[in-house]
Amino acid sequence: MPDLGRYALEVGFAYAATLILLLTLVGITIWRGRRVKRALQAAEGRRHG
Amino acid sequence: MSFSTSFWSLANPARFMSLTARAVPILSVLAGVCLVGGLVWGFFFTPDDYRQGSTVKIIYLHVPAALMAINGWLMMLVASLIWLVRRHHVSALAARAAAPVGVTMTLIALITGAVWGQPMWGTFWAWDPRLTSFLILFLFYLGYMALWAAIDDPDTAADLTSVLCLVGSVFAILSRYAVNFWNQGLHQGASLSLDREKNVADVFYHPLLLSMAGFILLFLALVLAGTRTEIRARRLHALRLRERMA
């Protein structure tokens, strides 16, 4: 771990906030993608079945 | 097949889904490698700046996020123009899919900028031309997403959000050039320059380039994945309407 000196809080907060936001964005994109794909497969199954 | 023919073939949803099924995983892996590589390099293996101390490490987050906040809107502008002129549904859906990614990038730029600004300027926020135009761009992103969500008819929603996107482009451009236009305020000019005297030092520049590549690739991967979801959601909506009418 590098010595961040007197600005450790600011630098740490910037990295933590960015990672949380990016991971949330990626998580929501994957979750919504899977949910819509499943719903579409079910709807097409009903149509053909 | 020429680039032009190949580009416009993406307007066909089936062709788009087929091509992006291969592209999204590749882009995601490349984004992960560049992002982790750039951030680890910048955070652990670069020295402190002689004036800014360790806060210089925020540059690897702030600059790439700001870059994608502005260019995300410009990508939405191009997609919106394609929708307005050629009525390709995939382009309208790509613009819609880019908005959540762009708003996140804008929020990251605003937060990291405020956290960086406090120790350097003595304040988290100032009504500086660049900061203010960035805040307005953030509000435009929220308005754009709200407008898509508020209108049931997809074509009407695409029309109105495209017009909003055209108006908001003024602030995307101002966000980039406000420092040059007004030459005042706290925010410095561009961090990157072809002039070696003005560019950041090489020791910061190379990890910054890698981090920027990571943000660009992540943006592309998320927008393509989001567009695929929007295409499926549109198809699902049509099937459900048919079920109701049957």
Side-chain angles (χ1 to χ4, degrees):
Chain A
M1 188 72 181
D3 177 18
L4 300 173
R6 55 199 277 237
Y7 301 124
L9 185 65
E10 286 87 350
V11 177
F13 180 81
Y15 273 79
T18 301
L19 292 179
I20 288 168
L21 284 169
L22 287 182
L23 289 175
T24 305
L25 176 67
V26 170
I28 289 174
T29 304
I30 294 171
W31 171 77
R32 183 164 180 264
R34 287 183 178 165
R35 191 171 59 95
V36 170
K37 190 177 179 182
R38 268 200 307 271
L40 179 61
Q41 281 168 346
E44 283 183 334
R46 282 196 301 276
R47 186 172 170 233
H48 297 299
Chain B
M1 190 187 289
S2 71
F3 171 76
S4 173
T5 314
S6 148
F7 176 76
W8 291 115
S9 74
L10 290 173
N12 178 332
R15 174 103 178 115
F16 181 89
M17 294 298 276
S18 151
L19 275 177
T20 54
R22 279 171 281 160
V24 170
I26 295 169
L27 286 171
S28 302
V29 171
L30 288 175
V33 169
C34 291
L35 207 51
V36 171
L39 294 182
V40 167
W41 186 359
F43 188 83
F44 290 100
F45 302 107
T46 57
D48 290 353
D49 181 64
Y50 75 101
R51 275 185 305 187
Q52 302 187 44
S54 63
T55 62
V56 74
K57 294 180 191 297
I58 298 176
I59 199 172
Y60 309 112
L61 308 168
H62 181 72
V63 171
L67 172 86
M68 292 324 297
I70 297 168
N71 288 301
W73 191 275
L74 295 180
M75 177 252 140
M76 286 161 57
L77 171 66
V78 172
S80 298
L81 286 172
I82 292 173
W83 162 254
L84 289 173
V85 175
R86 299 185 68 149
R87 313 302 282 181
H88 291 322
H89 287 93
V90 172
S91 69
L93 296 177
R96 183 179 189 177
V101 189
V103 79
T104 308
M105 297 294 177
T106 314
L107 189 57
I108 290 171
L110 285 169
I111 291 173
T112 54
V115 171
W116 198 359
Q118 211 289 327
M120 294 302 106
W121 302 334
T123 179
F124 285 108
W125 181 262
W127 294 102
D128 157 291
R130 191 167 210 177
L131 273 63
T132 307
S133 55
F134 235 92
L135 179 64
I136 297 172
L137 180 65
F138 176 68
L139 297 175
F140 260 96
Y141 267 118
L142 293 181
Y144 179 91
M145 290 160 64
L147 192 56
W148 262 112
I151 300 169
D152 281 336
D153 180 59
D155 285 3
T156 309
D159 284 339
L160 295 179
T161 52
S162 294
V163 173
L164 182 68
C165 188
L166 292 181
V167 178
S169 300
V170 174
F171 292 96
I173 293 165
L174 280 183
S175 305
R176 173 68 184 79
Y177 294 106
V179 176
N180 310 53
F181 289 161
W182 283 282
N183 200 26
Q184 63 174 29
L186 291 172
H187 203 287
Q188 67 187 59
S191 301
L192 301 178
S193 170
L194 293 174
D195 182 347
R196 282 188 69 84
E197 292 292 313
K198 292 180 185 169
N199 200 18
V200 293
D202 282 353
V203 69
F204 305 120
Y205 181 59
H206 295 126
L208 178 58
L209 280 186
L210 193 57
S211 181
M212 285 166 63
F215 271 78
I216 292 169
L217 290 165
L218 180 67
F219 178 87
L220 289 174
L222 287 172
V223 171
L224 290 181
T227 309
R228 289 170 60 79
T229 300
E230 294 298 339
I231 289 171
R232 287 190 174 121
R234 178 72 66 98
R235 169 104 181 121
L236 179 63
H237 181 66
L239 285 178
R240 282 179 174 164
L241 282 179
R242 269 189 224 168
E243 279 177 5
R244 268 184 232 154
M245 289 168 72

